Amino acid sequence: MEAGDYKMRSTSTWCALFDWDGVVIDSSALHAASWDWMGATYGLPLPEGHFRRGFGMKNERIIPEVLGWTRDPAEIARWAAIKERRYRELVVEQGIEPLPGVTEWIHRLHEAGVPCAIASSTERANIECVLDRIGIRPCFQAIVAGDEVERGKPAPDIFLRAAEKLGTLPSLVFEDALVGIEAARSAGMAVVAVTTTHPAAELVHADRVVDRLDSLTLDAAAALALRV
């Protein structure tokens, strides 16, 4: 079920928009391993610190701007497809789990009738690969993936599109990446930052910083979303 039916049923005054990698799941090790595999398999350069610099960006930016492999659109798409296929292979081989407190928080929102969407720079196939494995698919009424918007974060497009799918309610964004916080701000949305990728001192532009999502209360989250 996506936007249409849920708009008719929900009486919530706000909605929750979740980044995926680093917020719902700890995928950093598998993504890093898939980039390392690319470098080793195809002899491609991996500049020092590339993974941290590219976190939260679409591959369409990472490959030309961070890695410098190519600026040819067809080649960028080819390398991105190979890299993400390898990531999904690693998910199947090694498994993956939600971050501590995530399942509890998402179920709390679901039980309270708060509409939830995934809004992530990763491609939909990566999200679909994991959703059923960790058992939280019914809690999300919409997904907007990186391959569904022209401009990735820090542009606000992905969050605006996700909010639209949920009825354009006031939105609270859950993020871990600096470009994601910037995107939420550009969308005019409140944002809670999780300290999975950056320390709290680097997340000063978020409305609130937490170590794990289930430390929040529903009242506190609603107050942020509604700017009470």
Side-chain angles (χ1 to χ4, degrees):
M1 177 179 63
E2 276 215 8
D5 293 340
Y6 200 80
K7 290 179 196 175
M8 300 296 294
R9 294 177 49 192
S10 175
T11 58
S12 177
T13 55
W14 64 284
C15 65
L17 309 181
F18 288 82
D19 179 46
W20 184 246
D21 299 296
V23 173
V24 177
I25 58 170
D26 184 4
S27 58
S28 58
L30 298 187
H31 276 297
S34 63
W35 286 118
D36 289 344
W37 178 86
M38 290 285 290
T41 303
Y42 297 99
L44 296 165
L46 294 171
E48 185 173 353
H50 73 92
F51 187 69
R52 183 178 173 86
R53 292 203 308 276
F55 209 86
M57 295 181 185
K58 295 174 67 172
N59 288 333
E60 286 76 9
R61 284 191 63 196
I62 293 172
I63 290 170
E65 296 177 25
V66 178
L67 301 177
W69 290 353
T70 180
R71 290 190 174 274
D72 177 74
E75 282 295 286
I76 291 171
R78 185 174 75 87
W79 288 128
I82 294 170
K83 183 269 173 188
E84 297 307 331
R85 184 167 62 246
R86 179 56 182 158
Y87 166 77
R88 291 190 292 273
E89 291 171 352
L90 291 172
V91 168
V92 173
E93 292 170 9
Q94 301 182 25
I96 201 163
E97 296 292 335
L99 284 158
V102 165
T103 300
E104 294 84 350
W105 176 240
I106 290 174
H107 280 293
R108 201 181 303 166
L109 291 171
H110 185 63
E111 290 163 7
V114 177
C116 295
I118 296 164
S120 171
S121 295
T122 195
E123 60 184 65
R124 180 178 280 262
N126 289 3
I127 298 169
E128 297 285 355
C129 177
V130 174
L131 259 182
D132 289 325
R133 282 181 166 83
I134 62 177
I136 56 173
R137 182 185 291 275
C139 298
F140 290 100
Q141 288 73 52
I143 299 171
V144 181
D147 46 357
E148 296 171 45
V149 293
E150 183 175 349
R151 299 188 305 167
K153 303 170 187 177
D157 304 32
I158 201 161
F159 291 130
L160 293 172
R161 177 64 178 140
E164 180 185 10
K165 285 192 174 188
L166 296 180
T168 319
L169 294 168
S171 305
L172 180 58
V173 171
F174 298 93
E175 261 289 354
D176 68 309
L178 300 181
V179 291
I181 294 171
E182 184 179 347
R185 286 291 190 209
S186 296
M189 299 173 180
V191 55
V192 172
V194 191
T195 59
T196 49
T197 307
H198 297 277
E202 296 180 13
L203 302 171
V204 293
H205 295 297
D207 293 282
R208 183 163 175 179
V209 178
V210 297
D211 293 326
R212 49 186 287 163
L213 292 182
D214 65 346
S215 65
L216 291 164
T217 66
L218 287 170
D219 286 345
L224 287 170
L226 301 170
R227 310 285 181 153
V228 174

